[in-house]
Amino acid sequence: METHSPKAGKAKEQHVHQVFESIAPKYDLMNDIISFRRHKAWRNFTMKKMNVQPGDTAIDVCCGTCDWTVSLAETSGTGQIVGLDFSAHMLTYGQKKISNLGLDKQVTLVEGNAMALPYPDNSFDYATIGFGLRNVPDLRQVLREMQRVVKPGGKVVCLDMSKPTWQPFKAIYYFYFKHVMPLAAKLIAKRYEQYKWLPESLVTYPDHKELAAIYREIGLIDVEAHPLFWGIAATHIGTKSTKGNHHV
């Protein structure tokens, strides 16, 4: 499990910020490569599990170029949706999507820190984070913040890469992530060094069972963990207790 010092956390945060600022123009294309073109299907699966209702509100943390933010807005129909990211460059691309789809009145994009969300307790029906949790300095702190800003009975939802559980596939997966995928990034996005970060980010990231345990540890209830595509990704959903906060 990860241990964190403030200095190490700050260094990670600065490095990740630099990575995402630089890859923003090719981020959507590279997501196709990283996920074997499955990230949209995984997000659709997660949205079905979430069961968002008309008028529901949400904050999409580490929203990047806003694919999940858009899905939340379109599914809710009328509920206010916030997309938050620390990369202004990513948000620029996200804003283009929001405007092109005519969602400006429903969606607000905010440059901010996932470790300290600028919203009061009990503000949203959902807090989501897609392909961002493994990049934050302290994942427990981010999950606690997401838990804090959802209403009692609201849901904290994470979709991210994970660690395969099936041994033969595991070796193929790690070879792909360490060798093939950074080379593809070099050819397509001219960003070999930045995409080397992705396999490194998975080394200390918990597998789907460990992350479910962390969800429970911080006080979320009715925790669901759904491994996807032989475990290379996973969806986690936890509910905020209606019996008061469970900050640890």
Side-chain angles (χ1 to χ4, degrees), residues 128-170:
T128 62
I129 183 165
F131 305 102
L133 193 62
R134 71 185 184 284
N135 296 320
V136 301
D138 184 342
L139 64 86
R140 283 176 176 79
Q141 174 62 18
V142 170
L143 290 171
R144 284 192 194 100
E145 276 292 277
M146 292 170 70
Q147 177 183 224
R148 180 182 67 75
V149 300
V150 296
K151 301 170 185 175
K155 288 181 166 52
V156 173
V157 186
C158 172
L159 168 61
D160 212 323
M161 306 308 289
S162 191
K163 294 176 178 176
T165 48
W166 185 46
Q167 196 56 47
F169 184 68
K170 204 171 183 177

Side-chain angles (χ1 to χ4, degrees), residues 12 43 49 90 105 108 120 144 165 182 186 206-207 241:
K12 179 177 179 178
R43 190 166 57 249
K49 290 290 180 186
M90 286 284 195
K105 290 183 179 179
T108 304
R144 284 192 194 100
T165 48
K186 186 177 183 180
D207 65 26
S241 173

Side-chain angles (χ1 to χ4, degrees), residues 36-86:
F36 305 93
R37 297 183 68 89
R38 298 300 298 163
H39 64 102
K40 291 175 185 173
W42 296 339
R43 190 166 57 249
N44 290 340
F45 168 85
T46 304
M47 288 291 289
K48 284 177 184 171
K49 290 290 180 186
M50 289 167 63
N51 193 27
V52 175
Q53 297 298 303
D56 281 351
T57 59
I59 180 167
D60 186 23
V61 179
C62 302
C63 66
T65 56
C66 298
D67 281 348
W68 204 351
T69 319
V70 166
S71 292
L72 289 161
E74 290 177 338
T75 306
S76 168
T78 56
Q80 288 299 303
I81 310 297
V82 171
L84 179 140
D85 202 282
F86 71 166

Side-chain angles (χ1 to χ4, degrees), residues 50 59 117 119-128 142-157 214-224 236-248:
M50 289 167 63
I59 180 167
L117 298 175
Y119 293 92
D121 297 1
N122 311 322
S123 295
F124 302 96
D125 296 303
Y126 293 90
T128 62
V142 170
L143 290 171
R144 284 192 194 100
E145 276 292 277
M146 292 170 70
Q147 177 183 224
R148 180 182 67 75
V149 300
V150 296
K151 301 170 185 175
K155 288 181 166 52
V156 173
V157 186
I214 291 169
Y215 260 57
R216 295 184 187 100
E217 174 192 311
I218 67 168
L220 290 163
I221 61 172
D222 300 330
V223 175
E224 302 174 30
H236 288 77
I237 302 173
T239 302
K240 182 171 178 174
S241 173
T242 56
K243 298 177 182 176
N245 293 339
H246 291 258
H247 294 300
V248 180

Side-chain angles (χ1 to χ4, degrees), residues 19-28 65 87 89-90 93:
V19 167
F20 282 93
E21 282 282 288
S22 71
I23 66 177
K26 296 289 179 75
Y27 180 73
D28 291 344
T65 56
S87 169
H89 204 187
M90 286 284 195
Y93 285 88

